[in-house]
Amino acid sequence: SELLKKCLADKTSSTGGVTGDSLSPAQKSRWERHLGLVDEWIGHLKTSDNERSILNRCVHGIKNFKSKKGKPWMGRSKYHAASSISQFGIWLKDQGHISDNFFKPLTKRFRVDRAAPPELLTPAQVEKLFITAANNSKLINHIPVMAVMFGTGCRPSEAAYDNDPAWPKKQRRYQWEWAQGWNENRPSEVTGGVALHLPEWADDALTMRASKTQSRMLDMPPNFFAWLKWYFEDIKGGELPTTGQLLFNQGTWDQIRQDAGLFRNSDGKSLWPYDASRNSFTSYANYYVEWKEKAARDYWMDRCGHDYATFKKYYKVQVTQEECHAYFNILPPKKKAPPVKGQGDRAKAASQSAASA
């Protein structure tokens, strides 16, 4: 409808943000997508039509939406759509087209419970994902992205994300040049692994965001670094890359999780916990006694890019030492955790301890 077009033009203008600034390309893309769907659902109706009928059409649209691949929205995607529609209602009210924002109940209807503690994957489940990929020639090329996701605690979108309009083909990827040469890269004095640079921006113009937080150093423990070495050196017969970017394909990643029994059940319901890789790594790393004396109180907060309140609320799930030990001893087939060039005796001892367990 004309009102939807006017709202979209307003939101994607140079002053479309809440504070009067321009929205990011990703935010503009979300507005275009959501209001495009709203146009399909209720674009033919008038603001004077029955409010309950209009609202119900939106509810039905959100609940039954499926992507081009036939996949329904997850809980957070439903909430994001509901939030956009509610904000459209605020715009309609501000413009004098309606007296009350009757879209507001949508955000409550599709609210995601963020109070619940995050769910983790067990070490056995994570190991199954790696073994599933390692034993299939069509899936093995995703070992590197899995090592980065499960071995650094970065946000999945910081490793690979497929809907960022600011990036070529909308594909945000971790760039191997950020690893800063590998051999010359500073080894981690906490885990005995390697420290990987993650910048806030991927370009000098500050248009391609690589992280939602300030630039930081990720810490990849020896066992996950071993998976990178195993893939690039043993399987590919080459060296750790210093150019190019992390390979990722959503369909391949879905297949790995499905084959490992962690994607969807027979009814199509998701079995994958939200932010599973990030939640798992951060919780196991934070509670691992072997690293406690070496890691400052805010060490893992800094490495994962969080303030204390957020970290404590979402990323400090209590786990056992047996689980921590098992998680950081998930190793590739017949491969010991490799030493890092230049690291001291303490780091080498940690590496040898992980390999001999």
Side-chain angles (χ1 to χ4, degrees), residues 92-155:
L92 287 174
K93 182 179 179 181
D94 290 344
Q95 298 296 316
H97 298 294
I98 58 177
S99 59
D100 184 54
N101 179 16
F102 54 83
F103 292 108
K104 186 176 180 180
L106 288 173
T107 55
K108 184 176 181 179
R109 173 73 178 265
F110 293 100
R111 181 176 57 196
V112 177
D113 183 12
R114 293 183 64 89
E119 295 182 52
L120 311 184
L121 295 179
T122 66
Q125 289 175 317
V126 176
E127 183 174 35
K128 189 172 184 179
L129 287 166
F130 276 88
I131 296 303
T132 297
N135 289 336
N136 189 318
S137 61
K138 295 182 179 179
L139 308 178
I140 196 172
N141 61 1
H142 274 49
I143 289 294
V145 73
M146 292 167 60
V148 173
M149 289 195 299
F150 285 97
T152 68
C154 70
R155 296 173 180 84

Side-chain angles (χ1 to χ4, degrees), residues 61-270:
I62 294 173
K63 289 177 64 177
N64 294 279
F65 174 82
K66 291 186 178 180
S67 68
K68 293 180 180 179
K69 295 183 178 180
K71 299 176 182 178
W73 266 337
M74 303 289 284
R76 291 178 186 277
S77 295
K78 291 179 181 179
Y79 176 77
H80 288 154
S83 179
S84 294
I85 300 173
S86 179
Q87 291 179 60
F88 170 56
I90 294 174
W91 182 89
L92 287 174
K93 182 179 179 181
D94 290 344
Q95 298 296 316
H97 298 294
I98 58 177
S99 59
D100 184 54
N101 179 16
F102 54 83
F103 292 108
K104 186 176 180 180
L106 288 173
T107 55
K108 184 176 181 179
R109 173 73 178 265
F110 293 100
R111 181 176 57 196
V112 177
D113 183 12
R114 293 183 64 89
E119 295 182 52
L120 311 184
L121 295 179
T122 66
Q125 289 175 317
V126 176
E127 183 174 35
K128 189 172 184 179
L129 287 166
F130 276 88
I131 296 303
T132 297
N135 289 336
N136 189 318
S137 61
K138 295 182 179 179
L139 308 178
I140 196 172
N141 61 1
H142 274 49
I143 289 294
V145 73
M146 292 167 60
V148 173
M149 289 195 299
F150 285 97
T152 68
C154 70
R155 296 173 180 84
S157 62
E158 294 170 336
Y161 179 58
D162 276 345
N163 193 28
D164 190 333
W167 282 67
K169 299 182 181 180
K170 295 187 177 182
Q171 296 178 343
R172 182 196 300 177
R173 298 290 186 269
Y174 184 85
Q175 305 294 303
W176 290 122
E177 64 177 307
W178 298 339
Q180 300 177 339
W182 299 105
N183 284 339
E184 293 75 25
N185 200 13
R186 183 177 62 190
S188 168
E189 295 182 359
V190 172
T191 68
V194 294
L196 303 178
H197 180 57
L198 176 64
E200 181 177 359
W201 299 96
D203 61 334
D204 295 335
L206 307 185
T207 60
M208 296 166 55
R209 184 173 286 280
S211 171
K212 64 184 294 185
T213 59
Q214 296 180 358
S215 299
R216 65 186 193 273
M217 297 299 290
L218 307 173
D219 189 332
M220 177 179 282
N223 68 310
F224 290 104
F225 183 50
W227 279 100
L228 281 181
K229 299 268 287 184
W230 177 78
Y231 176 76
F232 287 112
E233 296 179 359
D234 296 3
I235 300 301
K236 302 295 289 184
E239 298 179 343
L240 291 169
T242 56
T243 60
Q245 62 186 20
L246 199 58
L247 183 147
F248 177 76
N249 177 274
Q250 187 64 55
T252 302
W253 176 225
D254 291 347
Q255 190 62 54
I256 292 171
R257 293 184 291 171
Q258 186 65 43
D259 290 354
L262 292 168
F263 188 48
R264 297 188 187 281
N265 62 18
S266 58
D267 295 327
K269 184 179 179 180
S270 175

Side-chain angles (χ1 to χ4, degrees), residues 117-118 120 279 282-284 286-289 292 312 314-321 323-324:
L120 311 184
N279 291 339
T282 311
S283 294
Y284 292 128
N286 183 65
Y287 279 103
Y288 200 15
V289 170
K292 279 290 186 180
K312 183 177 181 180
Y314 299 119
Y315 299 102
K316 286 189 67 175
V317 176
Q318 181 70 56
V319 293
T320 68
Q321 288 307 299
E323 290 173 320
C324 295

